[in-house]
Amino acid sequence: MTSSIKLHADQKVRADADDAAFTVHLRKAGTSVVFARDIFGLPAVVHWGAELSDADLPGLLATSQPAVMNSSIDIPRTFSIAAGRTFGWSGTPTLKAHDDDVQLEGFTLVDADSDGAEARFAVRDAGETVEAVFTYRLDVGAILHASIEIENLSPRWVDVDAVRALMPLPARASELMDFTGRWTHERHPQRSEVRDGTWIRSSRRGRPGHDSSFLTLVGTPGFSFRVGEVWAAHIAWSGNQETLVERLPEGAGVHRTVLGAGELLDAGEVGLAPHDTYRSPTVMFAWSDTGIDGITARFHTSIRSRPQHPRSPRPLLLNTWEAVYFDHDLDTLTNLADISAEVGVERFVLDDGWFHGRRSDTAGLGDWHVDKTVWPDGLRPLSDRVHALGMQFGLWFEPEMVNPDSDLAREHPEWILRELPILESRHQHVLDFSREEVVTFIVDRLDDIIAAAGVDFVKWDHNRDLHAALGGRGSRQVHSHTHGVYRAFEEIRRRHPHLEIESCASGGARADLGILQFTDRVWASDCNDPVERQQIQRWTQTLLPPELIGAHVGPAESHTTHRHADFSFRAVTALFGHAGLEWDLRGASAEELTAITAWTTLYRELRGLLHAGTTVRGDAVDSGTLLHGIVSPDRSEAVFAWVRTETSTTAHSPRVQIPGLDSARSYRVRVREEVGRASRHQIADPAWLDDSSELTLTGAVLAQGLPLPVLNPGQALLLHFTSDTEA
Ligand code: GLA
């Protein structure tokens, strides 16, 4: 429920008309965001957090100013949406732009309106050189979408240096968590106390990167999956970016800390000619008083409400990369496709190696023609076979990239994104997608192949950082390139409305809600080792629902870590995502093929629940163990994985709380062992497990916890809870 703006009668306010106070109250699903004019007449966030009633607002406004401090400006401090030094804000400004003479500052409000769901505020600098329009919308999941558009009103050139959506946080938000990582180890959480100063996470990689900050969370001390008040931000952008958490000794008005993000712009990168505009990426903010799981639930609700969100059952796929690498031939791949269909695969994806000159990763990128030496009759024979077997056909591309050893690079060296010096990475360069002719050329090539080979799914890869040098003032290099990439996705989707696309970037280096406007899943990581994968998926899932996260079962020995893992552990791990296989099944034993078939059957049984339910994760379980699950929206069913990744010092099996169930319901508890029995590090199971087929427990008892078996390291137990009782 949202309440509408209290502005003037005509729902508009002119800042210069009078200084009437106004309040905008955006309110949805337990969250309120309240804006009011500050002492300078600018809109400021006076509250972001728990839902308030309109009756609360007078009191909130009456208490929205701090004391006037010693050795400080002589008025109460404030933090408005256009905070900057001219208003006594000595922290990072929200807007930074200049013309040839001056920094543009001293913003005043010129327009404001709201329909109760969205608020728009227009401000101009003192010289009326630019107008910046801030838009805030609270969606169905109570995610606040914030974006800013700047227009050059002057006859002069204006450079935009930074545009950030910043939100204030209360003093109790004092612990910070975000992510870092590297290839095969994405989404590694890091935590620290919030201190005075600025915690900036930047990507100058032309993509978010393996070390992307991904989701920045600031919460009450010790916030965990289930406990604590948490404020979070994600930037829906696939180019250069920065997120920040900043605390000044003097705070931010009555708030303490600031959280936000923006595109990271090079000096002069975004220059605005007269009447030109710049629109910032959307920054998404979420608040929860039920820990990280509460933030996750809000993002998942929001993401699942998007019109383009994939709603059909997520097909189980087999990807050929780790099965055959560049070793393509029709017989091998037909054989693999036949076995795939037999074990229950629904989508067969031909990875890298099918196009002209691509016999290794040193050549061919850019030459998007089927390699006739390897595929003399094109891809149709394979694609037709795959379709005849009842599977979809998928194909790998890396559209933004070009190998110097390619016909494209030889013909169009001017299409390569300018670098000084030229740095090859995986023997490749980046095409400049800010050039329309490049976008058109690549889109046409993909279009051609997709139509000719009957492609249902594209794995769209991006295997290097950009080290682009700026092409001159206003060249909008990485900014325009990123928009060019988005246009390419959009055009391919327009031409092939039923095509699905995966965003891959050497694994999970481009897994953001910008790219997910045009894609249907992300490849979370090139690592299929379940020990690593448990963590990668757990943390990727803080933002993205499992149906958008590619998760594959590989062979017993992981190709990237060389660790060995039991099939049951690999299978349970990959179940909690958009599942697939990445395995040369031609070498799998009959026993393994039977186990894989049992797994694909189980995936088909459970995916309706897994891809629509609420993600929950247990807190304070023994070190070396993880408990995570998915609970159906009506809480009548849930699947949980009890996982041990390593040994620990705990020598008993205390009750482990099963979170997220309905305490009033009774649940039948079953251990699902279709994919194998998890091996134990104990003499005997807890007694309840002996006759588990009969066991029914109330949600209230399960909330107190179940003693679970002590597993050996590298094992996972799958628990299935079903309830016939009404809540
Ligand atoms: C990247 C991807 C892999 C695979 C290879 C192919 O590394 O992350 O999954 O597609 O490229 O070259």
Side-chain angles (χ1 to χ4, degrees):
M1 216 182 63
T2 52
S3 80
S4 65
I5 186 172
K6 291 177 187 159
L7 295 180
H8 287 174
D10 63 356
Q11 295 288 291
K12 295 269 184 198
V13 60
R14 300 293 305 184
D16 55 0
D18 59 38
D19 63 350
F22 68 81
T23 313
V24 175
H25 186 184
L26 305 181
R27 185 173 166 187
K28 192 79 87 177
T31 296
S32 280
V33 182
V34 183
F35 299 86
R37 281 176 96 169
D38 72 358
I39 207 157
F40 297 102
L42 286 165
V45 174
V46 293
H47 172 79
W48 170 33
E51 184 164 355
L52 300 174
S53 74
D54 282 351
D56 296 320
L57 299 193
L60 185 74
L61 297 182
T63 55
S64 63
Q65 288 182 357
V68 178
M69 287 166 281
N70 290 328
S71 188
S72 180
I73 55 174
D74 295 332
I75 51 173
R77 285 185 174 274
T78 176
F79 178 78
S80 79
I81 60 165
R85 60 190 173 188
T86 46
F87 305 111
W89 169 246
S90 302
T92 304
T94 52
L95 301 175
K96 197 156 179 275
H98 67 275
D99 63 14
D100 282 343
D101 298 327
V102 289
Q103 187 84 26
L104 306 178
E105 292 181 291
F107 291 92
T108 54
L109 182 71
V110 294
D111 201 6
D113 63 54
S114 173
D115 60 5
E118 182 175 293
R120 283 179 69 256
F121 305 110
V123 301
R124 289 186 184 179
D125 63 296
E128 303 233 327
T129 304
V130 293
E131 179 166 303
V133 179
F134 292 71
T135 306
Y136 299 90
R137 180 171 62 84
L138 205 53
D139 75 12
V140 60
I143 300 296
L144 184 73
H145 299 235
S147 62
I148 300 144
E149 189 166 312
I150 297 197
E151 183 185 351
N152 180 5
L153 307 174
S154 79
R156 299 178 300 282
W157 188 265
V158 168
D159 285 316
V160 177
D161 303 310
V163 175
R164 305 178 178 99
L166 300 177
M167 294 287 285
L169 307 180
R172 61 189 183 279
S174 60
E175 193 169 315
L176 132 74
M177 180 175 126
D178 63 13
F179 297 89
T180 183
R182 62 164 170 82
W183 178 69
T184 65
H185 194 78
E186 294 88 342
R187 248 64 75 197
H188 180 79
Q190 49 180 7
R191 289 180 85 124
S192 63
E193 201 186 307
V194 176
R195 293 166 190 237
D196 286 358
T198 313
W199 174 254
I200 300 189
R201 298 293 312 284
S202 313
S203 169
R204 294 183 176 80
R205 304 178 186 282
R207 58 181 187 176
H210 292 104
D211 62 337
S212 161
S213 59
F214 189 60
L215 183 66
T216 306
L217 305 119
V218 189
T220 46
F223 70 88
S224 63
F225 282 116
R226 306 296 299 173
V227 179
E229 203 177 352
V230 186
W231 292 257
H234 167 80
I235 179 164
W237 181 239
S238 315
N240 291 341
Q241 53 192 262
E242 68 176 18
T243 54
L244 64 87
V245 176
E246 183 167 72
R247 194 178 83 181
L248 303 183
E250 66 263 37
V254 278
H255 312 285
R256 185 77 174 99
T257 301
V258 166
L259 165 68
E263 183 176 4
L264 185 61
L265 300 173
D266 270 324
E269 182 177 1
V270 172
L272 299 180
H275 306 297
D276 216 354
T277 58
Y278 164 82
R279 190 182 164 83
S280 77
T282 299
V283 183
M284 295 174 164
F285 294 97
W287 168 83
S288 143
D289 60 355
T290 51
I292 303 170
D293 278 0
I295 295 287
T296 294
R298 293 197 186 290
F299 271 111
H300 290 190
T301 303
S302 162
I303 290 167
R304 286 172 170 162
S305 73
R306 301 167 312 150
Q308 75 273 35
H309 191 71
R311 291 188 166 77
S312 57
R314 301 292 73 214
L316 192 138
L317 64 83
L318 179 131
N319 179 290
T320 62
W321 178 239
E322 290 192 356
V324 298
Y325 292 103
F326 292 104
D327 209 0
H328 287 198
D329 75 61
L330 182 59
D331 287 347
T332 305
L333 287 153
T334 304
N335 190 356
L336 189 55
D338 290 347
I339 307 171
S340 301
E342 273 163 34
V343 298
V345 168
E346 299 163 307
R347 175 184 281 170
F348 185 84
V349 184
L350 184 63
D351 209 281
D352 196 358
W354 57 268
F355 49 95
H356 183 62
R358 188 68 167 177
R359 306 287 17 100
S360 73
D361 65 7
T362 58
L365 286 175
D367 295 344
W368 302 111
H369 298 273
V370 179
D371 194 316
K372 293 288 180 187
T373 61
V374 187
W375 297 95
D377 301 316
L379 295 175
R380 265 292 173 187
L382 178 65
S383 156
D384 286 349
R385 176 65 157 252
V386 165
H387 286 134
L389 290 164
M391 298 185 290
Q392 297 178 7
F393 181 62
L395 196 60
W396 183 94
F397 288 92
E398 198 177 356
E400 290 109 298
M401 300 295 162
V402 63
N403 285 119
D405 186 1
S406 66
D407 294 344
L408 185 67
R410 284 183 282 271
E411 274 163 35
H412 286 291
E414 77 284 7
W415 284 5
I416 295 174
L417 201 59
R418 194 166 156 267
E419 289 181 23
L420 296 170
I422 292 277
L423 289 177
E424 286 185 19
S425 179
R426 208 190 189 209
H427 319 286
Q428 64 197 53
H429 295 306
V430 186
L431 292 172
D432 184 353
F433 270 51
S434 66
R435 300 170 76 123
E436 212 44 54
E437 69 272 29
V438 174
V439 175
T440 306
F441 174 85
I442 293 293
V443 165
D444 286 347
R445 291 309 319 127
L446 263 66
D447 181 17
D448 224 41
I449 302 277
I450 290 166
V455 174
D456 308 294
F457 171 79
V458 163
K459 176 175 175 182
W460 185 307
D461 215 334
H462 182 288
N463 279 316
R464 65 160 292 177
D465 289 348
L466 275 57
H467 300 110
L470 195 65
R473 191 183 193 192
S475 64
R476 297 195 174 194
Q477 199 81 69
V478 177
H479 172 84
S480 296
H481 170 83
T482 309
H483 277 294
V485 172
Y486 284 174
R487 276 200 307 285
F489 275 104
E490 226 171 351
E491 182 57 17
I492 288 289
R493 292 207 77 129
R494 194 189 64 73
R495 295 191 199 178
H496 301 277
H498 301 297
L499 183 79
E500 291 203 2
I501 307 180
E502 170 175 60
S503 170
C504 172
S506 325
R510 191 160 68 176
D512 61 85
L513 289 173
I515 210 82
L516 274 162
Q517 293 172 83
F518 314 102
T519 54
D520 303 282
R521 64 176 233 163
V522 298
W523 181 224
S525 178
D526 275 351
C527 186
N528 295 322
D529 173 340
V531 174
E532 303 287 330
R533 267 285 175 160
Q534 279 289 335
Q535 299 292 347
I536 293 166
Q537 290 171 202
R538 180 179 190 78
W539 295 110
T540 303
Q541 220 172 317
T542 53
L543 179 72
L544 303 180
E547 65 272 22
L548 297 185
I549 303 174
H552 295 177
V553 173
E557 180 179 339
S558 157
H559 285 208
T560 53
T561 63
H562 295 278
R563 184 160 29 204
H564 287 250
D566 283 358
F567 176 76
S568 59
F569 185 30
R570 280 137 59 209
V572 169
T573 301
L575 205 56
F576 286 82
H578 177 183
L581 291 154
E582 195 154 338
W583 184 350
D584 187 357
L585 298 181
R586 294 172 310 148
S589 65
E591 202 185 13
E592 282 175 322
L593 293 177
T594 305
I596 293 171
T597 309
W599 172 70
T600 62
T601 307
L602 184 64
Y603 172 72
R604 266 190 290 281
E605 178 198 325
L606 295 178
R607 68 183 157 189
L609 163 62
L610 291 167
H611 296 167
T614 307
T615 293
V616 293
R617 288 152 294 205
D619 277 329
V621 290
D622 174 21
S623 70
T625 63
L626 304 169
L627 180 85
H628 60 86
I630 307 277
V631 181
S632 67
D634 67 357
R635 295 195 287 171
S636 65
E637 191 181 359
V639 227
F640 278 82
W642 168 241
V643 181
R644 179 170 282 283
T645 54
E646 58 189 32
T647 61
S648 67
T649 48
T650 310
H652 77 137
S653 62
R655 285 184 186 273
V656 176
Q657 290 181 292
I658 309 293
L661 299 179
D662 185 340
S663 56
R665 283 182 183 271
S666 288
Y667 293 88
R668 179 176 171 214
V669 186
R670 272 180 300 162
V671 176
R672 301 292 302 259
E673 293 187 326
E674 289 90 332
V675 297
R677 180 177 156 80
S679 75
R680 318 293 212 252
H681 187 81
Q682 59 184 24
I683 304 290
D685 274 341
W688 70 264
L689 211 50
D690 291 343
D691 55 356
S692 61
S693 56
E694 300 304 320
L695 192 67
T696 298
L697 295 169
T698 62
V701 168
L702 289 165
Q704 293 307 309
L706 274 177
L708 293 173
V710 182
L711 303 180
N712 280 319
Q715 298 294 325
L717 184 86
L718 193 66
L719 292 160
H720 192 183
F721 300 88
T722 44
S723 170
D724 297 330
T725 60
E726 283 306 314

